[in-house]
Amino acid sequence: MGSEDVLKSASTLASYNVLLQVMFRVLTFLLNAFTLRFVSKELIGVVNVRLMLLYSTLVFLSREAFRRACLSGEGAGRNWRQVINLLWLTFPVGCVWGVLLVCVWWWLLQAPDPESIPHYVPAVGLFCLAALTELLAEPLWVLAHAHMFVRLKVIAESLAMIAKCLVTVVMVVSTPQWGLYIFSAAQCVYAGFLLLCYVLYFVRFLGSEEAEKKLFPVSHIKDLLPSRPLLNWKLTTLTWSFFKQSFLKQILTEGERYVMTFLNVLNFGDQGVYDIINNLGSMVARFLFLPIEESFYVFFAKVLERGRDVRHQKQEEVSMVAEVLECLLKLVLLIGLIITVFGYAYSHLALDIYGRELLSSGAGPALLRCYSCYVLLLAINGVTECFVFATMSKEEVDRYNLVMLGLSASFLLLSYWLTWMLGGVGFILANCCNMALRITHSIVYIHRYFLQSEYTPLWGLLPYCVQLLISCDDMLCCDGGWLLRLVHVAVGGVCLMGVVITVFLTETKLVQFVRTQLLPKYSKKRT
């Protein structure tokens, strides 16, 4: 597959991923708003913080390193039988992590009050079972992702999420007394649907004319089972390097939940409120930035050869990568600035509409305002680390693990100290500090990588358009009635329109990149 084809596929994947993440976040947004009216905030805290932390930890530690290694240039040119054999190790690794984590969640962590939140012990086991079920689909997921089966991922995850939401809604309305069993059953349904969709697709696809035309490396369903030759040693050692890094990255990603879970700095009710606001604050950021990061990681890893400096790469591909990286940095920076400015101004109004006094009173607005500022750092870090991880050599990955170790330790200490002083806001401030350090490391790496070339993609962090900074006074929100609320929204709408028009008039190169790469269907319609 040529560089242009890889770029086109990665761009299409990013576009579909954005749409998929939009649907996920909207469904989660509506589901939280619905369940808030039927269950307590303490129950939401146990599910969304304690149990989902178990699920995400087990899944992430079991598969992330395998994904990184097998989707990189090191994995793409290898024998796919060896890659599949390596991917099947995710399940036994998951079983080991599952036993360890379930023991910790059962016996080392403080259990919730069984009178108000019953069925905690079986819920932990069911969430572990759901995670292991999802890991069974990992070889199929990597095969699909490596060969850009975009629609498969969209359909599979969409059906799984819809099924999860339907089960949750039906059970919350009909049997609210079941408590944690409701959310455990919904998570098992999600994992089961995901696995089923991938299995059914590959059963139909393998051996078909379409597979032969695409020269798919697997021809029969039995080829997806472990077989000889067993493992590629170089790919295995790269996986081990990524595994050490993924452990530290998980601590940084879910650090506040680990602090809440293991150090008990917030009660379950406060954890529930924090998690709702955290999901609300990250909704736009995650459905925009994370899909872009995942998709263009594949592009950078396939176009550039890992571990080789810029002088020994194909110069036409270096030129393309530099241009894409500059446009991505500029794009996420502009989106991050818009979210920061308008999110800060409209936090109180958004929480008052979404959760009424439960969220708009107390620390809720302050939490969302801080998160709006944190989004800007998330935007920059996602793209810079995406490039760094795709081009680092094994030795550089190992060295960076030491950096991550220091960041992890400092983050845990800082988050505990700031949370003890400032409450939930301390978690966000600690995340901001660590994210800023990670961005600094990535920028230094990118600068050194392109230093011996004529390209300067870091100019993408200096947008040429003027950002309109607007501060909408709280006098228009939220106790003055719906009329002043509408005025408040109208003022923001006019300002946002001004920003969009300014971007279209001044950032023509960026607009062209978005239309041709991130919105391919729109571009085809125009032509």
Side-chain angles (χ1 to χ4, degrees):
M1 187 180 289
S3 301
E4 292 285 350
D5 294 330
V6 173
L7 175 59
K8 182 179 179 181
S9 299
S11 302
T12 304
L13 181 59
S15 302
Y16 278 112
N17 274 345
V18 167
L19 295 176
L20 185 63
Q21 290 295 325
V22 168
M23 188 200 74
F24 278 11
R25 290 293 162 179
V26 169
L27 285 176
T28 303
F29 175 82
L30 297 175
L31 189 63
N32 282 337
F34 179 80
T35 54
L36 272 174
R37 287 151 175 79
F38 290 89
V39 300
S40 65
K41 60 182 181 181
E42 287 77 14
L43 181 63
I44 292 178
V46 172
V47 173
N48 289 356
V49 177
R50 176 73 65 88
L51 295 179
M52 286 306 298
L53 178 64
L54 168 67
Y55 188 90
S56 65
T57 301
L58 200 165
V59 169
F60 190 90
L61 293 181
S62 301
R63 75 183 183 191
E64 179 66 13
F66 294 91
R67 284 187 174 184
R68 290 283 185 182
C70 294
L71 288 175
S72 69
E74 296 289 340
R78 300 294 178 179
N79 186 323
W80 269 103
R81 286 184 179 273
Q82 294 178 323
V83 175
I84 292 172
N85 290 342
L86 183 63
L87 288 169
W88 275 115
L89 291 179
T90 56
F91 185 75
V93 169
C95 291
V96 173
W97 276 117
V99 171
L100 294 175
L101 293 173
V102 165
C103 291
V104 171
W105 258 247
W106 276 348
W107 295 311
L108 296 184
L109 297 180
Q110 179 184 359
D113 181 14
E115 295 295 328
S116 58
I117 307 176
H119 318 307
Y120 172 74
V121 171
V124 170
L126 289 171
F127 266 79
C128 178
L129 177 63
L132 294 177
T133 302
E134 184 172 342
L135 288 177
L136 287 173
E138 194 59 22
L140 306 180
W141 187 95
V142 171
L143 272 173
H145 205 74
H147 294 87
M148 302 296 180
F149 291 176
V150 179
R151 290 182 178 85
L152 172 59
K153 178 181 179 181
V154 173
I155 293 173
E157 297 191 16
S158 299
L159 290 177
M161 189 63 184
I162 292 172
K164 176 183 176 180
C165 291
L166 289 176
V167 170
T168 303
V169 169
V170 171
M171 295 185 71
V172 162
V173 173
S174 60
T175 56
Q177 70 276 10
W178 284 16
L180 293 177
Y181 278 135
I182 298 173
F183 300 94
S184 302
Q187 196 65 34
C188 289
V189 168
Y190 172 83
F193 259 82
L194 203 61
L195 175 61
L196 182 63
C197 288
Y198 277 99
V199 170
L200 291 178
Y201 178 85
F202 276 96
V203 167
R204 183 195 66 83
F205 175 76
L206 295 179
S208 65
E209 293 184 3
E210 182 183 1
E212 294 178 0
K213 290 180 180 178
K214 292 183 177 181
L215 300 177
F216 197 71
V218 179
S219 58
H220 195 273
I221 192 69
K222 68 179 182 180
D223 295 333
L224 294 174
L225 300 176
S227 59
R228 293 182 180 276
L230 293 178
L231 296 175
N232 180 292
W233 180 249
K234 186 176 181 181
L235 189 60
T236 305
T237 55
L238 180 62
T239 303
W240 173 244
S241 297
F242 277 123
F243 175 77
K244 292 181 288 185
Q245 185 187 95
S246 66
F247 184 79
L248 298 174
K249 186 176 180 180
Q250 174 68 3
I251 295 177
L252 287 174
T253 303
E254 301 280 8
E256 67 271 14
R257 296 192 180 194
Y258 287 115
V259 173
M260 281 189 281
T261 298
F262 287 91
L263 300 181
N264 297 318
V265 292
L266 297 176
N267 59 45
F268 287 118
D270 291 339
Q271 289 180 25
V273 173
Y274 175 85
D275 184 75
I276 292 170
I277 292 177
N278 182 54
N279 287 333
L280 183 62
S282 65
M283 186 169 64
V284 177
R286 290 185 182 236
F287 76 62
L288 284 175
F289 303 141
L290 186 60
I292 290 174
E293 176 187 351
E294 290 179 345
S295 301
F296 281 92
Y297 173 83
V298 177
F299 166 69
F300 292 136
K302 284 181 176 290
V303 172
L304 297 177
E305 187 173 346
R306 181 183 295 279
R308 298 188 67 177
D309 62 48
V310 69
R311 293 172 300 174
H312 297 91
Q313 305 278 0
K314 294 181 180 179
Q315 291 307 301
E316 62 271 16
E317 295 184 346
V318 173
S319 174
M320 179 190 298
V321 167
E323 183 178 354
V324 170
L325 180 58
E326 180 179 352
C327 289
L328 286 177
L329 288 174
K330 185 174 293 187
L331 174 65
V332 297
L333 179 63
L334 289 173
I335 296 173
L337 285 171
I338 291 172
I339 294 173
T340 298
V341 171
F342 289 91
Y344 189 91
Y346 287 87
S347 295
H348 193 181
L349 177 61
L351 292 179
D352 193 61
I353 294 174
Y354 183 62
R356 299 181 181 178
E357 292 186 0
L358 177 66
L359 298 180
S360 63
S361 60
L367 283 171
L368 191 53
R369 282 169 179 158
C370 288
Y371 209 100
S372 299
C373 299
Y374 176 53
V375 164
L376 179 58
L377 298 176
L378 278 176
I380 300 172
N381 181 73
V383 172
T384 53
E385 280 198 347
C386 162
F387 177 85
V388 169
F389 290 154
T391 55
M392 274 184 171
S393 65
K394 177 184 176 299
E395 293 72 21
E396 289 172 325
V397 172
D398 288 334
R399 286 198 298 269
Y400 187 59
N401 288 337
L402 298 177
V403 176
M404 296 284 279
L405 179 62
L407 289 174
S408 301
S410 64
F411 170 75
L412 293 176
L413 292 174
L414 188 62
S415 60
Y416 178 75
W417 178 59
L418 290 176
T419 305
W420 180 74
M421 293 178 56
L422 304 173
V425 173
F427 283 125
I428 302 176
L429 295 179
N431 273 310
C432 288
C433 294
N434 275 275
M435 199 62 66
L437 292 175
R438 289 166 65 178
I439 290 171
T440 301
H441 175 274
S442 298
I443 288 177
V444 171
Y445 178 90
I446 294 172
H447 174 71
R448 290 176 177 173
Y449 187 88
F450 288 98
L451 189 60
Q452 295 178 328
S453 72
E454 58 183 299
Y455 308 108
T456 54
L458 290 177
W459 282 106
L461 293 176
L462 300 173
Y464 301 111
C465 75
V466 178
Q467 285 293 315
L468 299 181
L469 302 181
I470 179 69
S471 176
C472 299
D473 198 279
D474 280 346
M475 288 189 302
L476 301 178
C477 172
C478 288
D479 300 324
W482 281 101
L483 179 59
L484 289 183
R485 291 186 182 189
L486 293 175
V487 173
H488 189 53
V489 173
V491 170
V494 171
C495 294
L496 179 60
M497 185 62 66
V499 172
V500 172
I501 292 174
T502 303
V503 170
F504 267 90
L505 294 177
T506 60
E507 300 287 354
T508 55
K509 182 180 177 181
L510 176 62
V511 173
Q512 182 66 15
F513 173 79
V514 173
R515 291 179 61 181
T516 58
Q517 302 301 334
L518 294 182
L519 299 175
K521 288 191 174 183
Y522 173 77
S523 179
K524 288 179 183 179
K525 289 180 182 179
R526 294 285 293 181
T527 56

